[in-house]
């Protein structure tokens, strides 16, 4: 029987692994922790390996896996920057990722954030908790159907978000370095980001972090926004200059923001910080800001995503064992 070593499994994932194992008639062994030089020997005797790394996989690991006759590592996330692809290739190890697992999950969360912002849910909650039940302008909402929504990055997630916003009656405009035909069913492309942000009542991002867009959303950019506009970033923290976003909100350049990512989130997410506390002053200011809704990188986190990530990771492992390659290969 085929045997797969499954590293770094959270408790909530155990039933998914068990079901996959039964459905595919494959023996699986759960191994605690990420794949490291210290525990790679536990994969000996197995046909394949899957893991969810957020620490580097050093050369030694590829060499050992090669020695054991293992031909792949299936990473269970979209990002694969923890792998040395050259070293893996040298050792005949195929690295795969999970490029798409549920773009709907992220898009639906963005819609949730947009509705929370325009319906002023945070202020409503505060006032209601204090016993102030008056109908007053501070809690009076807007309507998506009367708004223009700007979608920056019209790939897998951006396109679905555009469709959802359009279904609410919004006028959707978009920008992408490489516009695509399918997106034009839901949005009208603008030629520049600047043109888009000048027109939009809500600006939402779906772009990867690159050297070119580092701190693209800074004070100068927010100056172009409508003062009534909302900004939503569930893409990558580094695209936004956090310090300047806070200043832009304080100076009234924009009305509010929802952020699911933060440029220095690395050591805080997804971690229980209750005992250790948060000693990053900028993050503390984000959390305390009355015009910012902050969430800890959870836009993707649904039962569908959790199930798909595990199943696709296991499928890719089996695909290499059975066929010698996988469509999700990245090296
Ligand atoms: P994708 O690769 O399908 O689409 C990205 C799009 O961005 C592409 O169309 C590309 O041409 C465009 N693009 C790249 N650089 C650009 C730039 N500088 N300006 C304008 N357009 C640019 O990716 P996706 O699956 O739609 O994911 C989009 C992003 O969402 C990811 O890169 C990631 O940062 C983020 N994400 C967040 C979560 C979360 O839980 N918050 C989960 C998954 C992904």
């Amino acid at each position: 029987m085929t045997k797969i070593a499954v590293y770094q499994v959270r408790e909530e994932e155990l039933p998914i692994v068990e079901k996959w194992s039964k459905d595919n008639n494959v023996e699986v062994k759960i191994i605690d922790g990420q794949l490291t030089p210290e525990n790679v020997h536990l994969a000996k005797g197995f046909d394949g390996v899957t893991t969810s790394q957020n620490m580097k996989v050093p050369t030694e690991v590829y060499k050992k896996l090669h020695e054991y006759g293992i031909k792949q590592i299936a990473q269970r996330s979209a990002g694969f920057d923890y792998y040395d692809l050259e070293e893996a290739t040298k050792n005949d190890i195929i690295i795969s990722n999970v490029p798409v697992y549920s773009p709907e999950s992220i898009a639906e969360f963005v819609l949730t954030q947009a509705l929370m912002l325009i319906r002023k849910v945070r202020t409503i909650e505060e006032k209601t908790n204090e016993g102030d039940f008056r109908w007053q302008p501070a809690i009076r909402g807007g309507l998506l159907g009367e708004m223009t929504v700007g979608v920056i990055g019209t790939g897998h997630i951006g396109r679905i978000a555009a469709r959802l916003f359009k279904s609410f009656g919004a006028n959707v405009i978009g920008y992408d370095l490489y516009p695509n035909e399918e997106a034009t069913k839901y949005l009208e492309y603008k030629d520049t980001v600047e043109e888009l942000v000048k027109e939009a009542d809500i600006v939402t991002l779906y772009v990867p972090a690159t050297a070119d867009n580092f701190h693209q959303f800074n004070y100068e950019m927010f100056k172009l926004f409508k003062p009534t506009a909302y900004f939503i970033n569930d893409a990558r923290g580094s695209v936004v200059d956090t310090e300047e976003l806070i200043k832009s909100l304080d100076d009234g350049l924009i009305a509010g923001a929802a952020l699911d990512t933060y440029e220095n989130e690395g050591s805080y997410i997804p971690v229980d910080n209750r005992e250790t506390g948060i000693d990053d002053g900028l993050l503390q200011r984000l959390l305390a800001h009355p015009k910012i809704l902050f969430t800890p990188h959870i836009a993707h986190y649904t039962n569908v995503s959790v199930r798909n990530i595990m199943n696709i990771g296991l499928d890719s492992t089996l695909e290499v064992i059975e066929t010698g390659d996988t469509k999700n290969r990245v090296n």
Side-chain angles (χ1 to χ4, degrees):
M1 194 191 244
T2 304
K3 294 198 294 183
I4 295 178
V6 189
Y7 286 79
Q8 184 70 359
V9 179
R10 295 192 311 277
E11 206 177 328
E12 65 175 326
E13 295 173 314
L14 287 172
I16 304 167
V17 181
E18 276 163 26
K19 180 171 186 318
W20 185 93
S21 161
K22 238 193 209 161
D23 291 349
N24 290 278
N25 196 25
V26 169
E27 187 182 322
V28 291
K29 182 175 177 202
I30 307 290
I31 298 175
D32 277 346
Q34 301 183 40
L35 182 58
T36 63
E38 289 71 40
N39 66 15
V40 65
H41 67 278
L42 298 174
K44 199 173 176 179
F46 286 82
D47 303 298
V49 169
T50 171
T51 180
S52 179
Q53 299 290 126
N54 59 23
M55 58 166 79
K56 292 243 177 277
V57 181
T59 310
E60 211 178 322
V61 169
Y62 311 111
K63 282 196 173 135
K64 285 277 172 207
L65 291 177
H66 181 66
E67 253 177 62
Y68 306 153
I70 292 173
K71 303 245 175 307
Q72 54 66 246
I73 307 172
Q75 166 71 10
R76 299 191 308 274
S77 71
F80 49 88
D81 35 330
Y82 298 106
Y83 294 85
D84 185 332
L85 298 183
E86 222 170 275
E87 276 304 321
T89 307
K90 261 195 227 162
N91 287 283
D92 290 326
I93 303 287
I94 293 171
I95 307 296
S96 62
N97 72 338
V98 183
V100 181
Y101 43 87
S102 176
E104 295 81 3
S105 295
I106 297 120
E108 285 189 11
F109 192 69
V110 174
L111 201 83
T112 309
Q113 291 165 303
L115 290 168
M116 285 180 75
L117 287 168
I118 66 174
R119 294 307 299 261
K120 308 199 165 122
V121 170
R122 184 176 186 165
T123 314
I124 293 171
E125 263 178 1
E126 279 164 11
K127 294 208 177 290
T128 307
N129 289 341
E130 287 165 3
D132 180 356
F133 296 172
R134 285 172 301 164
W135 297 349
Q136 50 192 313
I139 59 163
R140 196 176 61 216
L143 211 58
L144 262 183
E146 288 201 342
M147 294 185 175
T148 294
V149 178
V151 169
I152 299 177
T154 55
H156 292 97
I157 304 170
R159 283 202 296 275
I160 294 170
R163 175 166 56 77
L164 295 181
F165 280 116
K166 194 176 162 68
S167 73
F168 274 68
N171 170 40
V172 187
I173 55 178
Y175 173 77
D176 196 297
L177 288 177
Y178 307 98
N180 68 72
E181 185 65 28
E182 197 207 321
T184 58
K185 281 195 252 170
Y186 316 114
L187 57 82
E188 180 205 331
Y189 276 111
K190 297 287 161 187
D191 293 332
T192 63
V193 172
E194 286 76 9
E195 206 183 320
L196 179 146
V197 303
K198 279 181 193 165
E199 285 182 33
D201 299 300
I202 300 175
V203 174
T204 64
L205 307 186
Y206 311 88
V207 289
T210 64
D212 292 339
N213 65 19
F214 179 76
H215 282 187
Q216 183 181 23
F217 288 82
N218 54 20
Y219 199 78
E220 285 307 305
M221 184 67 89
F222 289 121
K223 268 191 192 162
L224 304 175
F225 279 55
K226 292 183 184 179
T228 49
Y230 293 107
F231 175 67
I232 302 176
N233 179 21
D234 289 19
R236 282 292 178 267
S238 66
V239 182
V240 181
D241 184 326
T242 312
E243 188 77 53
E244 296 197 7
L245 167 67
I246 292 174
K247 187 166 162 43
S248 304
L249 286 162
D250 291 342
D251 291 353
L253 300 187
I254 60 171
L259 308 173
D260 192 45
T261 57
Y262 162 59
E263 53 187 314
N264 308 314
E265 69 185 39
S267 49
Y268 300 104
I269 296 174
V271 171
D272 184 352
N273 300 288
R274 284 177 298 182
E275 298 237 318
T276 44
I278 287 168
D279 56 9
D280 175 333
L282 193 53
L283 180 53
Q284 283 171 352
R285 283 167 59 209
L286 268 190
L287 291 167
H289 202 288
K291 293 182 177 171
I292 297 176
L293 299 177
F294 182 78
T295 47
H297 212 130
I298 43 86
H300 67 283
Y301 188 56
T302 61
N303 46 13
V304 175
S305 286
V306 171
R307 189 178 66 222
N308 286 350
I309 290 173
M310 180 54 81
N311 283 336
I312 296 169
L314 288 162
D315 286 346
S316 302
T317 308
L318 192 56
E319 201 184 341
V320 177
I321 296 168
E322 289 179 344
T323 70
D325 208 348
T326 163
K327 56 187 170 305
N328 294 325
R329 180 182 191 150
V330 293
N331 65 332

